[in-house]
Amino acid sequence: MKQLFDLEGKVAIVTGGNGGLGLAMATGLAAAGANIVVAARNPDKTAAALAQIEAEGVEALGIAVDVTEESDIDGMVTQTLDAFGRVDVLVNNAGVTVRKEPEDLSADEWDHVLDVNLRAAFLASRAVHPSMKAQGGGKLIHIGSMFSIFGGGGSGAPYSSSKGGIVQLAKSLAVAWAADNIQSNAILPGWFLTELTAPIATIQPERHDLINRRIPAGRWGEPEELHGTVVFLASAASDYVTGAVIAVDGGYSSM
């Protein structure tokens, strides 16, 4: 019987993998045996991330990538193939937001959020497709949000729109590439404690308490609690799972 959750010898690209939930998922994949490519912009953060990932006993490569540039994305895949000879897993995690009311958004700001969060996920998926198809299969893991389901309020219009699009991209690629044995799924993280969200408890305590009360689990998630889901979707355990959307949110989206 094959080891369902063993990723030894596999190669995973994680965009935006040098911090926050991206780094947590990269570390989880590494702990399961995968070699990791961190594709991100900040070289200092990437260097620190690589050290953390390599501590899991795997190889790790950092590639400077601006995911809004098609040539950078194509180069990311080329460099990965040059270094490792294969790409087994792509985690489309890179994301941004602009916190403005819709009436105050410029077209350029809207485009930037959609370019980073949605267009880049398509471009990266398209870029890895030929090698995944040639090697007999692969795994696409697209990182959405609870705002893939809910409206993000006035200041979240482009972010919510892009993350809703991520779900439809995951499903569309699942259908298009099923014959190539490429599984395409989406993870929707809920409220997690990261360097970006941790200050909410002190800066906006009422908002923090409101969110806590809405989460059936009664607490925010720890980034490591994404490990199980991302490893499942990257491994042979999910070979018959495609087009799925998995919320990892302590029950938030069920309320």
Side-chain angles (χ1 to χ4, degrees):
M1 179 179 176
K2 62 185 176 182
Q3 298 298 310
L4 291 181
F5 299 97
D6 182 12
L7 298 179
E8 186 174 356
K10 302 294 186 181
V11 176
I13 299 173
V14 183
T15 67
N18 62 359
L21 299 185
L23 177 55
M25 289 185 287
T27 305
L29 293 169
N35 298 313
I36 304 296
V37 174
V38 173
R41 290 187 301 172
N42 186 315
D44 294 332
K45 285 183 65 177
T46 296
L50 294 178
Q52 185 173 332
I53 292 164
E54 288 169 345
E56 299 292 342
V58 301
E59 294 183 58
L61 172 67
I63 300 177
V65 176
D66 179 346
V67 296
T68 66
E69 295 292 337
E70 185 175 357
S71 60
D72 276 20
I73 289 177
D74 291 340
M76 168 188 78
V77 176
T78 298
Q79 289 181 63
T80 300
L81 293 173
D82 288 345
F84 295 107
R86 60 189 299 117
V87 181
D88 300 282
V89 181
L90 169 66
V91 182
N92 282 314
N93 168 74
V96 296
T97 191
V98 174
R99 300 188 185 282
K100 286 186 178 181
E101 296 301 310
E103 64 270 24
D104 297 324
L105 279 168
S106 69
D108 286 344
E109 289 169 330
W110 173 274
D111 288 346
H112 180 64
V113 174
L114 272 289
D115 284 351
V116 173
N117 295 3
L118 183 57
R119 178 176 178 269
F122 161 69
L123 291 175
S125 300
R126 187 186 68 180
V128 300
H129 175 259
S131 60
M132 285 186 174
K133 180 179 179 179
Q135 71 195 20
K139 305 283 187 174
L140 306 176
I141 304 171
H142 312 277
I143 307 306
S145 164
M146 68 192 102
F147 295 118
S148 297
I149 302 171
F150 306 116
S155 63
Y159 183 83
S160 298
S161 299
S162 68
K163 292 302 184 179
I166 280 288
V167 168
Q168 297 308 319
L169 177 66
K171 292 181 176 184
S172 297
L173 297 182
V175 174
W177 295 342
D180 301 324
N181 193 32
I182 296 172
Q183 289 81 54
S184 172
N185 297 290
I187 297 174
L188 310 187
W191 293 100
F192 278 81
L193 290 169
T194 68
E195 59 188 25
L196 293 178
T197 62
I200 292 176
T202 51
I203 297 173
Q204 297 175 299
E206 291 183 1
R207 181 186 178 207
H208 180 269
D209 291 346
L210 179 64
I211 292 169
N212 256 5
R213 290 195 298 272
R214 169 70 186 270
I215 302 172
R219 62 178 179 83
W220 291 42
E222 298 290 341
E224 293 75 20
E225 290 179 295
L226 281 171
H227 286 185
T229 307
V230 75
V231 169
F232 166 66
L233 292 179
S235 71
S238 62
D239 281 353
Y240 199 58
V241 178
T242 195
V245 180
I246 302 176
V248 184
D249 63 1
Y252 185 95
S253 58
S254 297
M255 286 288 282

